Amino acid sequence: MQEVPVLVFIFGYGAMAFVISMFLAPPFIRLLHKYKLGKQMREHATSGAKAKIFTMLHQKKTGTPTMGGILIWGTVLAVVLLSRAFSYFGWIDNSLLDRNQTYLPLFALVITGLLGLVDDWYNIKGIGKTKGLSVKPKFILMTIFAIAGAYWFHYRLGWSEIHIPRVGDFDIGWWYMPLFVFIILGSANAVNITDGLDGLSGGLLILAYIAFAIIAYFIGSPDSYILASFCAVIVGALTGFLWFNVPPAKFYMGDTGAIALGATLGIIAMLTDSVLMLAVIGGVFVIETLSSIIQLTSIRLFKKKVFKIAPFHHHLEACGWSEETVVMRLWIVGAMLGVVGVILAVIGKGI
């Protein structure tokens, strides 16, 4: 591929996903309203205590349609299949359906999206103490999926190395599999934890996927161009979703979006051999997750709270920041971390 066609390929598919997502969003939102598929606010924190501060801050959002993630991963799936049709008829040279680059992230997006869909359905129906799937079965199912993905990466694709910027590549053998499982579970849960304010996770995910699209592009191989295009498709679909998700949100991403996009982000970090940069590019997700872990650990060990409420974005709200202020400032932090992550990844690989 020449450079100009490659950029047209990448931006063209991203634009296609954006147009499809924007076109489908209004009727999809009406459908969610028609069947009363609205989110139920949780009444208990993870620790089991009454979520009094959370209820005070967000009770007004009860009933807002959820399951918006279906629109996102559904759009991505549609664009990938359309690209396959374009390739079949000879309109383009390559489709986005590539065994080495997009089979696993696309599979992850859809399968974990379906798992999140079950969780969202439980929430809508008010099933369970936390109004959703309990932590244990969700964790077991996600772990099974992550192990299957790790097997595919290590034994079918032959991956066993990790790259440390400015240091080099290190073959870690079968340890690559537990690392893969940890990254996928951590990434999926981190995005899910962060998905708590209108537009927050959507904007941060757009920034993260843009960063990994740039990293994939700079790798400079035909396969990496396909992966960059796949990231662009996700960005396009997410941007169409975000148009209707900014405050006040018309609908929410739900677990069917947050878990799926988080797991897929982790896989793309592995595919670009930039797993260490995931912690930088997704720094806000890391902060949010650590705040929840610290809060839960402190409550259980010392019976004291470190934050007024966890995760961190709710703590900022409880400190008096408006929802819009929290979202915009965390977007700014996410953008800066994305730039730093891309620079470290590109310089670190000597590209």
Side-chain angles (χ1 to χ4, degrees), residues 11-21 75 78-80 82-83 86 233 236-237:
F11 284 103
Y13 276 123
M16 182 189 297
F18 172 70
V19 171
I20 292 174
S21 182
T75 297
V79 172
V80 170
L82 282 172
S83 78
F86 295 160
V233 170

Side-chain angles (χ1 to χ4, degrees), residues 186-268:
S187 185
N189 283 290
V191 175
N192 197 31
I193 288 169
T194 307
D195 186 34
L197 298 180
D198 296 359
L200 178 58
S201 59
L204 290 171
L205 282 166
I206 287 172
L207 295 168
Y209 276 104
I210 288 174
F212 279 106
I214 295 171
I215 292 171
Y217 175 79
F218 273 104
I219 291 173
S221 69
D223 280 351
S224 68
Y225 291 149
I226 290 175
L227 187 60
S229 301
F230 183 78
C231 290
V233 170
I234 294 177
V235 169
L238 268 166
T239 305
F241 162 80
L242 188 62
W243 184 275
F244 300 93
N245 182 243
V246 292
K250 298 293 189 295
F251 67 155
Y252 297 135
M253 182 184 297
D255 282 12
T256 190
I259 292 175
L261 290 163
T264 305
L265 185 65
I267 289 174
I268 289 173

